[in-house]
Amino acid sequence: MDDADLGVLARRGDRWTLTFTRHLAHPVDRVWRAVTEPEHLAAWFPQQIVGERRAGAALRFVSSAGGGFDGEMVAFQPPTLLEFAWGGDRLRIELRPDGAGTVLTLTDTFAELGKAARDAAGWHECLDRLRSHLDGAPLPGWGQTWQQVHPRYTERLGPEAATIGPPPGHEQHASRPG
């Protein structure tokens, strides 16, 4: 695993951020479609996003296990910025051209430090799947990457950032094929 792919944890006032940067060998328009269109999101994002793609729109996040929760599109500026309230978190995806490719920055802002290692491993897995999807490479089964990188994040971020374990239903999700 390349250390450059590891998320970075920072405190921002009374909240925490995990920031990931990925250099993708695809143009911004192609990456934008992969982070906004349902048929591409299904390959890498942990839930289906139901709702209009515009700032202020109500969203519903639905899991493959049938549960879901509400959110809101905070910012939507094609083809460079997508930000939404995702449960108690705020997720921001920024794209910028980098030669023939794209630099993607994903920032997750949240309140509870104890879930940082868990969520870092989750976003790491999602972004690895996004890269594989864009590259046309086979996708590993859900949970495989998480299991590999979670110990690294626990060590890197410290025990106080790893007091909350896998999300409910992780076992079922991990056994789901890619």
Side-chain angles (χ1 to χ4, degrees):
M1 172 182 10
D2 184 351
D3 279 355
D5 283 347
L6 292 173
V8 175
L9 179 67
R11 185 173 197 124
R12 301 275 191 265
D14 64 345
R15 302 203 29 104
W16 296 90
T17 62
L18 280 167
T19 302
F20 298 84
T21 303
R22 292 288 192 277
H23 297 270
L24 303 169
H26 304 279
V28 167
D29 288 343
R30 182 163 180 210
V31 177
W32 180 254
R33 287 190 304 275
V35 301
T36 59
E37 295 177 0
E39 62 272 19
H40 297 290
L41 283 163
W44 72 274
F45 197 77
Q47 291 159 322
Q48 179 184 7
I49 303 173
V50 179
E52 193 176 343
R53 304 302 199 255
R54 68 168 175 77
L59 299 175
R60 179 88 180 147
F61 299 93
V62 181
S63 76
S64 62
F69 56 88
D70 295 323
E72 178 186 352
M73 186 69 69
V74 175
F76 190 78
Q77 299 170 7
T80 59
L81 176 65
L82 169 71
E83 183 174 349
F84 48 85
W86 189 59
D89 292 12
R90 182 161 292 201
L91 193 65
R92 181 178 180 94
I93 298 173
E94 299 173 84
L95 306 178
R96 72 174 169 76
D98 183 36
T102 301
V103 174
L104 177 149
T105 303
L106 181 146
T107 304
D108 180 12
T109 303
F110 54 96
E112 196 163 353
L113 175 61
K115 70 183 201 124
R118 174 193 81 182
D119 290 4
W123 290 123
H124 191 112
E125 174 173 34
C126 290
L127 292 172
D128 281 2
R129 289 177 65 88
L130 172 62
R131 177 180 283 145
S132 293
H133 174 69
L134 285 165
D135 291 348
L139 299 176
W142 278 105
Q144 290 178 4
T145 302
W146 190 94
Q147 291 172 358
Q148 292 170 357
V149 300
H150 183 258
R152 180 90 182 265
Y153 279 108
T154 298
E155 178 184 319
R156 180 183 176 107
L157 303 179
E160 66 280 357
T163 60
I164 299 173
H170 176 75
E171 296 78 21
Q172 294 86 1
H173 189 65
S175 65
R176 192 175 96 202

